[in-house]
Amino acid sequence: MTTPENTPETIQPMMATRNLSKRYEDGVLALDSLDLSVNPGQIYAMLGGNGAGKTTTINLFLNFIDPTEGEAIVDGIITHQEPLKAKAKIAYVSENVMLYPNFTALQNLDYFSHLGGKTSYSAEDYQKVLLRVGLQEEAHDKKLRSYSKGMRQKCGIAIAILKDAPAILLDEPTSGLDPKAGMEFINLLQDLRDEGKAILMSTHDIFRAKQVADIVGIMNAGKLVAEKQREELVGEDLEKLYVEYMTGYMDTAVQATDASVTVG
Ligand SMILES: Nc1ncnc2c1ncn2[C@@H]1O[C@H](COP(=O)(O)OP(=O)(O)OP(=O)(O)O)[C@@H](O)[C@H]1O
Ligand SMILES: [Mg+2]
């Protein structure tokens, strides 16, 4: 039976921001009243130039920093009010994955799984997930010190999968991956989405964003300047759209500067 609780319109987002703003101590307004949401089974890709506020958004979800205004919410939990409870719901892979260089991949997986309270995984489970992310068997017993950036990235993704959290945050996840690994990674994200995970990622890769995302958000100077659903992007040249939004912003900025010069 369809009740108001289970109609699609009332799905509770797994991740959301409400009027989320961040002004850093030095006065930079890095994020300006951001409102976005990601449902279970959705991939949201944030695009935007350097300094647009993408990493700031992710760091606010993780409560690495406190918001100046508004809130980031994970599974109904306001992250800055209950950071530990919120973190338990999130798996996170940063651009520069921080793992133990003197541990092998298997040891890193074991260490981080135990740290996250998952104590029942076997060596076979670790091997399976490493193969799933595209790390060949001969690498599993090698110390991370000898890994390339892309290999470390894959290891980080394996740890995120083992955490089995409903929300996944990825900051430029394909930046260290070669084209083949990038494609495999996109397939992996699609699998995770199909398992019902909510995924929020930042990327500079417009091509991959269009390929994988259910929603693409374009950010500029801390503002979400455009948001497009997958259906709206069919037949659209996302790269052109992106440049138009960037140029549109630049025009506005130039006008604002001109105006202040005129007034001043
Ligand atoms: N710790 C900090 N202290 C002060 N300002 C910061 C800090 N971190 C980021 N900023 C500023 O906030 C703004 C947004 O930065 P952010 O790192 O969120 O951008 P981004 O979209 O992730 O960029 P990129 O694509 O280069 O990774 C920038 O102006 C940046 O200089
Ligand atoms: Mg960033």
Side-chain angles (χ1 to χ4, degrees):
M1 196 182 86
T2 302
T3 65
E5 285 76 34
N6 66 10
T7 53
E9 294 75 35
T10 57
I11 289 175
Q12 191 194 345
M14 180 53 69
M15 283 181 269
T17 66
R18 272 194 229 130
N19 188 35
L20 186 63
S21 301
K22 176 66 185 178
R23 189 181 289 282
Y24 284 105
E25 286 67 23
D26 58 6
V28 174
L29 184 60
L31 203 60
D32 189 359
S33 312
L34 179 71
D35 285 293
L36 58 75
S37 64
V38 194
N39 289 340
Q42 269 188 337
I43 299 175
Y44 191 118
M46 288 185 282
L47 291 173
N50 298 127
K54 304 179 296 295
T55 298
T56 298
T57 304
I58 290 173
N59 288 347
L60 285 161
F61 269 108
L62 293 159
N63 201 238
F64 289 162
I65 48 175
D66 278 321
T68 314
E69 260 186 80
E71 53 217 10
I73 304 156
V74 181
D75 202 12
I77 304 159
I78 296 177
T79 60
H80 68 274
Q81 288 179 0
E82 297 182 276
L84 290 180
K85 227 172 128 187
K87 268 183 209 159
K89 304 275 183 182
I90 302 171
Y92 162 62
V93 184
S94 67
E95 190 193 352
N96 293 302
V97 178
M98 299 298 277
L99 301 168
Y100 283 98
N102 286 328
F103 284 7
T104 67
L106 289 169
Q107 287 169 335
N108 267 288
L109 261 54
D110 193 46
Y111 177 80
F112 283 101
S113 296
H114 276 80
L115 204 65
K118 300 265 181 193
T119 53
S120 61
Y121 288 128
S122 66
E124 272 157 41
D125 294 327
Y126 296 141
Q127 270 158 353
K128 254 191 229 160
V129 77
L130 286 172
L131 288 172
R132 186 177 175 196
V133 299
L135 271 176
Q136 299 314 310
E137 212 168 335
E138 13 343 328
H140 297 185
D141 267 325
K142 292 222 168 88
K143 290 192 173 164
L144 269 274
R145 193 187 315 125
S146 67
Y147 270 37
S148 68
K149 185 182 176 193
M151 289 165 80
R152 280 200 301 276
Q153 194 83 349
K154 288 175 179 175
C155 199
I157 293 157
I159 290 168
I161 291 174
L162 288 169
K163 187 167 179 187
D164 196 23
I168 301 178
L169 290 171
L170 303 160
D171 201 355
E172 298 189 31
T174 52
S175 70
L177 302 181
D178 64 46
K180 178 170 168 282
M183 199 186 71
E184 287 164 0
F185 179 72
I186 293 303
N187 293 336
L188 189 67
L189 280 192
Q190 283 166 335
D191 287 350
L192 293 170
R193 181 242 324 264
D194 295 345
E195 286 169 18
K197 310 288 189 198
I199 300 170
L200 175 63
M201 63 189 275
S202 80
T203 183
H204 289 294
D205 191 334
I206 294 178
F207 172 73
R208 299 259 181 244
K210 184 171 175 183
Q211 203 179 15
V212 75
D214 298 288
I215 309 171
V216 173
I218 301 177
M219 294 179 69
N220 200 331
K223 281 193 160 73
L224 185 64
V225 290
E227 194 175 72
K228 300 279 176 193
Q229 306 287 320
R230 169 184 290 281
E231 310 80 75
E232 296 175 90
L233 290 172
V234 176
E236 269 281 358
D237 183 345
L238 182 57
E239 194 167 16
K240 190 162 159 263
L241 203 69
Y242 176 86
V243 172
E244 274 168 13
Y245 276 105
M246 293 298 139
T247 320
Y249 164 76
M250 295 296 276
D251 288 349
T252 316
V254 170
Q255 278 163 19
T257 314
D258 286 352
S260 67
V261 169
T262 313
V263 173

